[in-house]
Amino acid sequence: MTRHLARILRLVGFLGYYLLELVKANVSVIRETLVPSDRLRPGIAELPLRCRTDLEITMIANLISLTPGTLTVAVRAEPPTLWVHGMFAEDREAFRAELYEMEGRMLVAMRLSAAAGALPGPGPADGPASEAGGVARRSADRGEDGDET
Amino acid sequence: MSVLLGHVGTALVVVGALVLALAGVGLLRLPDLYTRASAVTTASGLGVGLVLVGVLLHHPSLGNTVKVVLAVVVQLTTAAVGGYAIARAGYLTGVPLAKRTRYDELGAVVRTARGGPERPGRRRRPGRRRGRGRG
């Protein structure tokens, strides 16, 4: 019983964190709309997820879409992966880290165990990742950073 | 008290309307489909949410609260799913990314799945759109 109560409290806490993120991101998108600048650096990043159930994947995909400046473009259930378009995503690793922070907080709030699990490691040590995922990761690594500068 | 609530409600309605208006400006000024969809997805959710909560403060009651909560949840859900559907449809039909886009890690996956060396983000049949004008 107390575990369920604790989860409700964590959900409320996550809601607060999310609302804050929502406002912050909104401000940067509105600023970009009014005063177009060099800060706009879009990109589509692959995001292997720690989410496992359909509910978790659906929730994180929609939460990401609802945050201004980030939009889920594609979803794969097996292994769980999102492709996320970001408006201010100059550095893809920093962009991924932001998304992972939100995913981690969401999973801690949603799961009774309050554990998000380990971040997917880089490279082929991905475990049972499917072929498509492996191929995508390797080709992504080849075109590493600054390719179009 | 209720006068204060009314003022706060009016402010929320105005802010919500501003957010929606700015989303419209973003629709015109942002560089490609994906950034536009991104801006509008959120703004429609947030803007409508603010307007609804503002109206609720003018007419606070239990019944209205239930209605507003329901409306905001449904609005946020449909906005998120709709934004995803638009972006996905755009990507799969080859709507190009803005030139300043830094990287596209989805491209390799789509290329592999289609089994061709074709670059996604380019139109598959370049002449198709122009066909209508000639007819």
Side-chain angles (χ1 to χ4, degrees):
Chain A
M1 188 60 208
T2 40
R3 287 165 72 211
H4 289 273
L5 199 66
R7 176 165 69 167
I8 291 172
L9 287 179
R10 290 200 304 272
L11 279 172
V12 172
F14 176 72
L15 198 69
Y17 155 81
Y18 187 75
L19 286 179
L20 195 69
E21 288 296 304
L22 203 67
V23 171
K24 278 198 296 190
N26 245 303
V27 168
S28 50
V29 171
I30 286 174
R31 194 197 304 158
E32 181 59 39
T33 302
L34 292 178
V35 191
S37 70
D38 271 356
R39 298 194 318 118
L40 185 66
R41 297 271 182 241
I44 297 181
E46 185 180 350
L47 190 74
L49 294 176
R50 287 165 285 173
C51 298
R52 285 297 168 261
T53 66
D54 282 352
L55 176 67
E56 287 168 358
I57 298 171
T58 311
M59 284 298 291
I60 193 64
N62 284 338
L63 287 176
I64 285 174
S65 289
L66 277 179
T67 316
T70 58
L71 183 64
T72 306
V73 180
V75 182
R76 183 179 58 200
E78 200 50 54
T81 312
L82 296 183
W83 283 267
V84 182
H85 182 277
M87 278 171 69
F88 309 102
E90 165 99 67
D91 176 2
R92 66 178 89 188
E93 291 310 326
F95 180 46
R96 251 194 285 272
E98 275 172 42
L99 297 172
Y100 274 136
E101 160 140 23
M102 181 177 291
E103 189 206 12
R105 283 172 183 262
M106 186 200 80
L107 288 178
V108 168
M110 281 179 74
R111 288 177 174 169
L112 265 186
S113 61
L119 279 170
D126 239 352
S130 82
E131 285 193 324
V135 169
R137 180 170 294 279
R138 278 192 293 278
S139 359
D141 286 346
R142 243 183 280 133
E144 200 56 62
D145 289 338
D147 34 4
E148 276 169 57
T149 42
Chain B
M1 186 60 195
S2 74
V3 177
L4 180 67
L5 274 187
H7 287 316
V8 174
T10 308
L12 286 180
V13 171
V14 170
V15 171
L18 274 178
V19 167
L20 289 171
L22 285 169
V25 178
L27 208 52
L28 295 173
R29 292 181 74 158
L30 291 171
D32 64 3
L33 177 139
Y34 307 95
T35 48
R36 287 171 176 165
S38 192
V40 169
T41 297
T42 317
S44 63
L46 188 74
V48 172
L50 285 172
V51 171
L52 283 173
V53 173
V55 172
L56 174 66
L57 292 186
H58 277 277
H59 304 280
S61 74
L62 184 62
N64 285 346
T65 309
V66 172
K67 282 178 211 159
V68 165
V69 168
L70 193 67
V72 169
V73 168
V74 172
Q75 169 68 23
L76 290 178
T77 315
T78 51
V81 174
Y84 161 66
I86 290 172
R88 182 175 190 275
Y91 198 93
L92 291 178
T93 52
V95 175
L97 288 153
K99 277 220 179 62
R100 62 208 299 186
T101 303
R102 286 354 236 344
Y103 46 88
D104 174 12
E105 299 181 359
L106 181 54
V109 181
V110 174
R111 258 198 304 275
T112 312
R114 283 181 175 164
E118 197 168 16
R119 273 187 71 90
R122 303 266 162 88
R123 289 221 166 76
R124 306 193 81 184
R125 287 174 289 271
R128 218 167 111 235
R129 290 261 166 112
R130 269 176 262 128
R132 210 189 300 158
R134 269 182 258 128

